[in-house]
Amino acid sequence: MEDSVPRPHPSVTGAFGRWWEERRRAAPLTVTPVSFADLHQWHFAPEGGDLVHSTGGFFAVAGMRRFEADGTVLDQPVISQPEIGMLGILVKRLGGVPHALMQAKAEPGNVGSVQLSPTVQATRSNYTRVHRGHGTRHLEHFSGDPRGRVLVDSLQSEQGAWFWRKRNRNVLVETTAEVADHPDYHWVELDELRRLLRTDHLVNMDARSVLGTAPLFRPPPDSDDPFVRALARSYAEAPAGHDDEQEVRTWLNDAKSRCASHARLLPLSGIDGWTRTDGEIGDDDGTAFRIIAVRVTATGREVPGWSQPLLAPRSESVATFLVREIDGILHLLVQARAEPGLHDLLELAPTVHRHYPGEAPGPFDALSESQDPARVRYDARHSEEGGRFHRAITRHRVIDVGAEVPVDVPESYRWLTVRRLRTLARQGYYVNVEARSLLACLHSLW
Amino acid sequence: MEDSVPRPHPSVTGAFGRWWEERRRAAPLTVTPVSFADLHQWHFAPEGGDLVHSTGGFFAVAGMRRFEADGTVLDQPVISQPEIGMLGILVKRLGGVPHALMQAKAEPGNVGSVQLSPTVQATRSNYTRVHRGHGTRHLEHFSGDPRGRVLVDSLQSEQGAWFWRKRNRNVLVETTAEVADHPDYHWVELDELRRLLRTDHLVNMDARSVLGTAPLFRPPPDSDDPFVRALARSYAEAPAGHDDEQEVRTWLNDAKSRCASHARLLPLSGIDGWTRTDGEIGDDDGTAFRIIAVRVTATGREVPGWSQPLLAPRSESVATFLVREIDGILHLLVQARAEPGLHDLLELAPTVHRHYPGEAPGPFDALSESQDPARVRYDARHSEEGGRFHRAITRHRVIDVGAEVPVDVPESYRWLTVRRLRTLARQGYYVNVEARSLLACLHSLW
């Protein structure tokens, strides 16, 4: 399995660039496909056939059955991981300037192996191990007493297409304490971190998710560009009528009440339309994804290697926000979108959000594919969580459609300001992971 | 099955009292226990043995398995009802004074048969039927376009001990539209509705739930009673340090992250420790509850009768808030409490919250049993949802413990103001149904 390391990007320079190149060279993972029988400590449970770890921990690959409103029934494998993990970014002012302590973390499914990760990215199994004396590095800043100043702390869902009711805690803490140096960690100025979000496959999904809910330490500056001025107002100002919080809540509750689709777990051995071979479980249509097994060899790690299943999508996903100015304030066109594995049926999603080519078309697909440089404000490819997904790539786009899309939109869509969407995101279970990721990418647009 | 209609309470007087007595006499239900085999349109599913309705709608009685942190595994029947129902109270100013349109609604499990219910209390099956032309009365004020002014709209969990991830939409709408009269509905002045909450078994669970999240139309008045003054400040003022919203969120997320218990559905035929006879499914310990079957005969209804299962607790539940003044502001001692059927593991609960005599004791049980009239600020018995539960009675208490309970409390407890708890309640899935019900009862304390 070749590892297609992306070329260093011109924006990755200076002290950060030197640390980053050194880390990329120091911590490679070799990822080799193996058969399920060759997985160490993983097996198909005798009853039900779920792919489980021998400790009962980590995660499991189970089955999910979706009942659509039109009577369609669709089965698929799903990653079941009931524990709440911790995604925490530590911030500290160095010379008065806010910096985030970012981690160079290798994951087997990442494009490029090493990506820029939160200070702490830990499952509950890691998290609770701390009480037995083998701590996750820097966890004390997020769970200690006293911990730093908590600026953001919310529970957030992750991919509702691939996870069964997964959620992680997204936390941003500001500290004034001494923090010990370690080669895997680097203090990145927040302004630099913003700019790094323009680079493909550099900032990992967990970091993007936290940054999407986090407060800005510095507001967008004055600009001659009307787009940037409208964006700055969208971060700052109370919105004008279109997106009162109670109205947004009511609109979303209307959508949840209308939603007639639902899903439930079922044993992996009971799913229809998927075929298991020695080395993969794939959909017979060949459009969705495969469950594969890999052996991972790490150099320079305490754990020399391990093996695990991964979910490997068959194609690239797309997440696009159409945006436009309304009354001088940039608005994002959000969608109330049902996903079978979400915690509560549906969440706010990007205007266009597609995992597989075969999915039902939406009203804004054509506009989202614009190649007009005057409209395409953001266009980059990022990886989804490399500890669970293999080369899961989402193309992130922000397209300025101006008045071509009217203020009145179909009932599943709504124009919201950045400020409103970020406020809802901080409440948890409102904004899906693809939309949070795009919210983080917006930070890079000035 | 005798129907133990409570005697009319002296507080139920005037125009409301006359309407109420007339309704109680006009709409009695006769409730007769039957065997499961005599249920019409209900049967045990051949596969798994869940007790289901022949349409697949309404609700089902399934099984639930709880895995406790100490390794204990406990099974029980559970009511599974995935649809989102609507609980809506319509408010209108009559002569400038806010009134709520309340419904006299008979339910088979209620103590007293008829209780005071929200304007709309409808399952999704009712709710969507409106599109086929047989509407739920007054639903247009909550789902029409334009509807009235939405003051509250949140999704809320219900009993996590008895329901599997049940949630209902709690809505309060103010209208200026004409509303047609109907004998089952009465405009109740909000001040009178507050006072009626002191009466046993009068205001039903659904109405209490909505009122617990609703804004007050009139603040508590000046009072000579220091308790009422502290209570008024608790509604009104920004709290002083003890309960910053971000801190409360972090405290609750800490508790969720620590929580090692979880639960899952299983087929009803697979549960251990319960015995099914012709007419009931009961726990072998004889402490928890029974699932029973009843035939209901109604006079003066369009539907002359029906039959259904009900969950019948074996004993009375207790929900108590200990309260005290801190810095002149009344604070409520809330508990972060796990319940197996809740939507997200745990929610804020009353200080003491007990369904069965055998449950593990808590640190505040003794204080909550105070009979000291100087401490007992509220003490009334209310019914849980009479459409699902048979004579499920919860004793609601508010006990003023003063400085006997310190400001520092065990980590699962926290002192919150009424204002903070009501703000969290409006966000949904934060405050459990027993705590919402007690929040409504607090309205009656001035």
Side-chain angles (χ1 to χ4, degrees):
Chain A
M1 209 173 277
E2 51 77 56
D3 198 19
S4 66
V5 176
R7 298 313 322 143
H9 191 277
S11 73
V12 181
T13 57
F16 171 78
R18 287 189 296 277
W19 168 75
W20 185 244
E21 284 310 309
E22 192 271 319
R23 284 295 91 198
R24 276 165 34 111
R25 277 190 291 267
L29 293 180
T30 308
V31 180
T32 316
V34 296
S35 68
F36 292 119
D38 289 336
L39 283 173
H40 179 59
Q41 290 197 302
W42 289 85
H43 64 278
F44 291 100
E47 189 181 350
D50 289 357
L51 183 52
V52 297
H53 193 260
S54 57
T55 59
F58 295 93
F59 62 94
V61 181
M64 175 169 74
R65 180 161 289 173
R66 304 161 54 176
F67 302 85
E68 298 295 337
D70 64 3
T72 311
V73 176
L74 289 169
D75 290 352
Q76 65 169 83
V78 74
I79 300 175
S80 171
Q81 186 175 349
E83 293 181 356
I84 298 176
M86 168 71 88
L87 309 179
I89 294 183
L90 189 66
V91 169
K92 186 177 177 180
R93 284 169 199 271
L94 302 175
V97 179
H99 286 66
L101 185 61
M102 301 302 288
Q103 183 184 173
K105 189 173 173 68
E107 299 276 15
N110 280 346
V111 175
S113 192
V114 177
Q115 294 196 1
L116 205 54
S117 306
T119 320
V120 167
Q121 179 178 324
T123 62
R124 187 172 181 282
S125 307
N126 304 133
Y127 188 82
T128 51
R129 194 185 299 157
V130 87
H131 302 298
R132 300 199 301 272
H134 309 281
T136 298
R137 195 174 300 276
H138 299 309
L139 183 64
E140 68 277 14
H141 297 289
F142 300 91
S143 67
D145 184 18
R147 61 189 128 203
R149 189 163 70 103
V150 180
L151 299 177
V152 164
D153 182 352
S154 58
L155 296 178
Q156 301 288 355
S157 64
E158 295 187 359
Q159 285 80 1
W162 298 331
F163 279 119
W164 178 254
R165 303 207 169 160
K166 168 84 178 291
R167 60 233 196 288
N168 266 329
R169 192 169 172 183
N170 285 231
V171 186
L172 192 134
V173 160
E174 185 173 3
T175 188
T176 55
E178 280 299 306
V179 180
D181 285 341
H182 183 280
D184 283 342
Y185 297 80
H186 189 83
W187 288 105
V188 184
E189 198 180 326
L190 286 188
D191 260 1
E192 179 153 29
L193 189 54
R194 286 202 304 106
R195 284 190 298 268
L196 294 174
L197 283 159
R198 288 181 209 153
T199 305
D200 287 0
H201 301 300
L202 176 55
V203 181
N204 84 351
M205 183 195 92
D206 297 326
R208 298 194 309 275
S209 173
V210 177
L211 292 172
T213 66
L216 290 177
F217 285 74
R218 195 184 298 187
D222 274 344
S223 169
D224 290 338
D225 181 345
F227 176 86
V228 174
R229 282 204 306 276
L231 176 62
R233 281 193 287 265
S234 192
Y235 274 96
E237 288 180 25
H242 305 286
D243 73 351
D244 169 79
E245 182 166 326
Q246 182 58 65
E247 278 183 34
V248 176
R249 232 189 265 281
T250 288
W251 166 73
L252 193 62
N253 287 346
D254 281 348
K256 287 185 182 180
S257 299
R258 275 195 313 270
C259 183
S261 63
H262 64 283
R264 62 178 177 80
L265 278 185
L266 81 169
L268 183 58
S269 60
I271 63 172
D272 289 332
W274 294 70
T275 300
R276 178 176 137 193
T277 64
D278 286 349
E280 67 173 54
I281 304 167
D283 58 321
D284 299 339
D285 290 349
T287 56
F289 61 82
R290 302 171 303 139
I291 300 293
I292 61 171
V294 298
R295 183 182 303 128
V296 187
T297 314
T299 39
R301 277 212 181 189
E302 293 164 35
V303 184
W306 71 92
S307 61
Q308 68 167 92
L310 287 171
L311 187 156
R314 295 193 193 268
S315 55
E316 188 173 282
S317 299
V318 170
T320 304
F321 264 133
L322 301 190
V323 304
R324 64 162 286 184
E325 203 185 285
I326 301 174
D327 301 333
I329 303 172
L330 198 77
H331 283 64
L332 317 176
L333 188 55
V334 302
Q335 183 191 169
R337 185 173 194 269
E339 292 185 293
L342 284 181
H343 193 67
D344 194 23
L345 292 173
L346 51 80
E347 295 187 359
L348 302 178
T351 323
V352 174
H353 174 177
R354 199 171 53 239
H355 285 292
Y356 319 122
E359 289 181 81
F364 300 106
D365 289 359
L367 279 168
S368 78
E369 280 154 24
S370 173
Q371 300 301 326
D372 178 355
R375 292 190 156 202
V376 179
R377 288 289 175 168
Y378 184 90
D379 194 351
R381 287 177 166 84
H382 296 294
S383 300
E384 305 304 328
E385 227 282 75
R388 299 292 174 272
F389 305 120
H390 185 259
R391 305 281 192 274
I393 299 171
T394 301
R395 187 170 183 182
H396 287 61
R397 306 189 94 215
V398 176
I399 313 287
D400 183 2
V401 290
E404 189 166 343
V405 178
V407 173
D408 285 333
V409 284
E411 70 176 353
S412 297
Y413 295 82
R414 196 172 180 105
W415 290 106
L416 297 184
T417 60
V418 175
R419 177 181 159 132
R420 171 67 62 219
L421 198 55
R422 288 163 54 81
T423 303
L424 289 167
R426 283 201 288 276
Q427 296 179 21
Y429 306 135
Y430 271 98
V431 179
N432 79 359
V433 66
E434 292 83 2
R436 296 197 305 278
S437 181
L438 275 167
L439 274 175
C441 296
L442 282 178
H443 294 345
S444 71
L445 294 188
W446 69 85
Chain B
M1 209 173 278
E2 52 77 54
D3 198 18
S4 65
V5 177
R7 297 314 320 144
H9 191 277
S11 73
V12 182
T13 58
F16 172 78
R18 287 188 297 278
W19 169 74
W20 186 244
E21 284 309 310
E22 191 271 320
R23 283 295 92 196
R24 277 164 34 112
R25 277 189 292 267
L29 294 179
T30 307
V31 179
T32 317
V34 295
S35 69
F36 292 119
D38 288 335
L39 284 173
H40 180 58
Q41 291 196 304
W42 289 86
H43 65 277
F44 291 101
E47 189 182 350
D50 289 358
L51 184 53
V52 297
H53 193 259
S54 56
T55 60
F58 296 93
F59 61 94
V61 181
M64 176 169 74
R65 179 161 291 172
R66 303 161 55 175
F67 302 85
E68 299 294 337
D70 64 3
T72 311
V73 176
L74 288 170
D75 290 352
Q76 66 168 86
V78 73
I79 300 175
S80 172
Q81 186 174 351
E83 295 181 356
I84 298 177
M86 169 72 87
L87 309 179
I89 294 182
L90 188 65
V91 169
K92 187 177 176 179
R93 286 172 198 269
L94 302 176
V97 179
H99 286 66
L101 187 60
M102 302 302 287
Q103 185 185 171
K105 191 173 172 68
E107 299 277 15
N110 280 345
V111 175
S113 191
V114 177
Q115 295 195 0
L116 205 54
S117 306
T119 319
V120 168
Q121 178 178 325
T123 63
R124 187 172 181 282
S125 308
N126 304 132
Y127 188 81
T128 51
R129 193 186 299 156
V130 87
H131 302 300
R132 300 200 301 272
H134 310 282
T136 298
R137 194 175 300 276
H138 299 308
L139 183 63
E140 68 276 13
H141 297 288
F142 300 91
S143 67
D145 185 19
R147 61 188 128 202
R149 189 164 69 102
V150 179
L151 299 178
V152 163
D153 183 352
S154 58
L155 297 178
Q156 301 288 354
S157 63
E158 296 188 359
Q159 285 81 359
W162 299 331
F163 278 119
W164 178 253
R165 303 209 168 157
K166 168 83 177 292
R167 59 233 197 286
N168 266 329
R169 192 169 173 184
N170 285 230
V171 186
L172 191 134
V173 160
E174 184 173 5
T175 188
T176 54
E178 281 298 307
V179 181
D181 286 340
H182 184 280
D184 283 342
Y185 297 80
H186 190 83
W187 289 105
V188 184
E189 198 181 327
L190 285 187
D191 261 1
E192 177 153 29
L193 188 54
R194 284 202 306 104
R195 284 191 296 269
L196 293 174
L197 283 158
R198 289 183 208 153
T199 305
D200 287 359
H201 301 300
L202 175 55
V203 181
N204 85 350
M205 183 195 91
D206 297 326
R208 297 193 310 272
S209 173
V210 177
L211 292 172
T213 67
L216 289 175
F217 285 75
R218 195 184 298 189
D222 274 343
S223 170
D224 290 338
D225 181 345
F227 177 86
V228 174
R229 282 204 306 275
L231 176 62
R233 281 194 287 266
S234 192
Y235 274 93
E237 287 181 26
H242 305 285
D243 74 350
D244 169 79
E245 182 165 325
Q246 183 58 64
E247 278 182 36
V248 175
R249 233 189 263 283
T250 289
W251 166 74
L252 193 62
N253 288 345
D254 281 347
K256 287 184 182 179
S257 299
R258 276 196 312 270
C259 182
S261 63
H262 64 283
R264 62 177 177 81
L265 278 184
L266 81 169
L268 183 58
S269 60
I271 62 173
D272 289 331
W274 294 69
T275 299
R276 178 176 136 193
T277 64
D278 286 351
E280 69 173 53
I281 304 167
D283 58 321
D284 298 339
D285 290 349
T287 56
F289 61 81
R290 301 172 302 139
I291 301 292
I292 60 171
V294 298
R295 184 183 302 126
V296 187
T297 315
T299 40
R301 278 212 180 189
E302 294 163 33
V303 185
W306 71 91
S307 61
Q308 68 168 89
L310 287 171
L311 186 156
R314 294 192 193 267
S315 56
E316 188 173 282
S317 298
V318 171
T320 304
F321 265 133
L322 300 191
V323 304
R324 65 164 285 184
E325 203 185 286
I326 301 174
D327 300 333
I329 302 173
L330 198 77
H331 282 65
L332 317 176
L333 187 56
V334 301
Q335 182 191 171
R337 185 175 195 270
E339 292 184 293
L342 285 182
H343 194 66
D344 194 23
L345 293 174
L346 51 80
E347 295 187 0
L348 302 178
T351 322
V352 174
H353 175 178
R354 198 170 51 240
H355 285 293
Y356 318 123
E359 288 182 81
F364 299 107
D365 288 359
L367 279 168
S368 78
E369 280 155 24
S370 172
Q371 300 302 324
D372 178 355
R375 293 188 154 204
V376 180
R377 288 290 174 167
Y378 185 89
D379 193 352
R381 286 176 166 86
H382 296 295
S383 299
E384 305 304 326
E385 227 282 77
R388 298 293 175 270
F389 305 120
H390 184 259
R391 306 278 191 276
I393 299 171
T394 301
R395 187 170 183 182
H396 288 60
R397 307 189 93 213
V398 176
I399 313 286
D400 184 2
V401 290
E404 188 166 344
V405 179
V407 172
D408 285 334
V409 284
E411 71 176 353
S412 297
Y413 294 83
R414 197 173 179 102
W415 290 106
L416 297 183
T417 60
V418 174
R419 179 182 159 131
R420 172 67 62 218
L421 197 55
R422 287 162 55 81
T423 303
L424 290 167
R426 283 201 288 276
Q427 296 179 22
Y429 305 136
Y430 271 98
V431 179
N432 79 359
V433 65
E434 291 84 3
R436 296 198 305 279
S437 181
L438 275 167
L439 274 175
C441 296
L442 282 178
H443 293 346
S444 72
L445 294 189
W446 69 83

